Amino acid sequence: MTDSTFVPYLATGMAGHEAYLGHLVVATIAISENAERALLDFSAKRKKSGRRLCSNLKDALLAIVPCEIISISPQKYNKMFAHLSNAELVAAWAYEKALANLLKAYPKYDKIAGGPEAPMEIVSEKMEQHGHRLQFGKEAPAPILAAATTMAILTRRERVEKLSEELGTTIPLEEEKAFSFAAGYLSRQGKAGLSRIAKLHFPLTEKLCQ
């Protein structure tokens, strides 16, 4: 039995915005009534089983909901920040791109749910400039927002692991390990090398360079 009052929407999640090392990732998922029900059921089963984040979780979520993911590498992030001089504008660009890409397939999904970390005022203005009049601030069940954030977290993990392989190192995902790792990497590779793994505008960079 379907709920005639249900309105499809998009849900967003972000990972890496407060992390010194690694990528910034934004994920947007399209939520139909069936998708919402399936995600809630999936979440309840995982909670009951006590399972944690795992590599195949991303595939399981992708089998339930359409998703658009935008990943910004540290190097690209630093170039964007140098131009925009504002971390929220960098994040807003990722949100705007993810939403615009998903709206191509789901143009009637004009309600947007997102966590408090999302720069939605900026995103709303940018999207309207491109002809998308969206309604931000929709309430959504916690498991739905968690699913979008989980997609971002798992993608960030994948991208950081890939970057680690490219650079012949192991970039830590734990923030408490960021300073010691970055300090060693800076001593070996210099600031140019550091720009490939870290968001240089963070205060930690100044501390490392003292």
Side-chain angles (χ1 to χ4, degrees):
M1 181 176 178
T2 60
D3 180 1
S4 60
T5 64
F6 184 89
V7 178
Y9 60 96
L10 303 180
T12 66
M14 179 165 58
H17 58 295
E18 294 182 339
Y20 181 62
L21 302 176
H23 299 58
L24 170 70
V25 179
V26 169
T28 300
I29 56 178
I31 305 298
S32 64
E33 185 174 5
N34 287 339
E36 184 178 83
R37 186 183 302 112
L39 274 179
L40 293 176
D41 289 345
F42 180 77
S43 175
K45 290 176 182 176
R46 281 188 58 79
K47 186 175 181 180
K48 186 178 293 186
S49 67
R51 293 180 181 175
R52 300 179 181 275
L53 292 180
C54 57
S55 58
N56 63 352
L57 177 55
K58 183 177 177 180
D59 290 336
L61 291 173
L62 285 172
I64 298 173
V65 289
C67 182
E68 182 67 30
I69 299 173
I70 300 299
S71 176
I72 303 177
S73 70
Q75 194 167 40
K76 181 174 181 179
Y77 182 100
N78 290 321
K79 290 178 180 178
M80 292 181 70
F81 187 87
H83 175 66
L84 298 170
S85 300
N86 187 309
E88 280 200 334
L89 291 179
V90 178
W93 177 89
Y95 273 94
E96 179 188 352
K97 194 169 182 64
L99 287 168
N101 288 348
L102 204 52
L103 282 167
K104 292 175 184 176
Y106 301 91
K108 294 184 179 180
Y109 285 41
D110 61 353
K111 308 289 190 299
I112 313 297
E117 73 282 353
M120 287 309 185
E121 287 188 15
I122 300 173
V123 178
S124 177
E125 182 179 340
K126 294 286 186 182
M127 294 299 292
E128 190 164 347
Q129 290 174 2
H130 291 88
H132 296 290
R133 296 181 63 86
L134 305 176
Q135 297 179 36
F136 290 84
K138 175 179 172 52
E139 293 187 2
I144 305 302
L145 296 177
T149 300
T150 296
M151 291 295 293
I153 291 171
L154 292 174
T155 299
R156 179 174 180 268
R157 178 184 294 176
E158 292 172 354
R159 300 299 168 86
V160 170
E161 288 176 352
K162 183 178 179 181
L163 180 60
S164 293
E165 290 178 7
E166 292 174 357
L167 298 177
T169 188
T170 302
I171 302 168
L173 292 169
E174 303 86 353
E175 196 63 16
E176 62 270 19
K177 296 179 180 180
F179 181 83
S180 59
F181 178 84
Y185 201 83
L186 176 64
S187 67
R188 297 190 303 273
Q189 303 292 336
K191 195 168 182 179
L194 187 64
S195 71
R196 297 192 65 186
I197 66 167
K199 303 175 184 72
L200 295 183
H201 73 88
F202 278 42
L204 191 56
T205 300
E206 185 176 352
K207 186 176 179 181
L208 285 166
C209 293
Q210 288 177 349

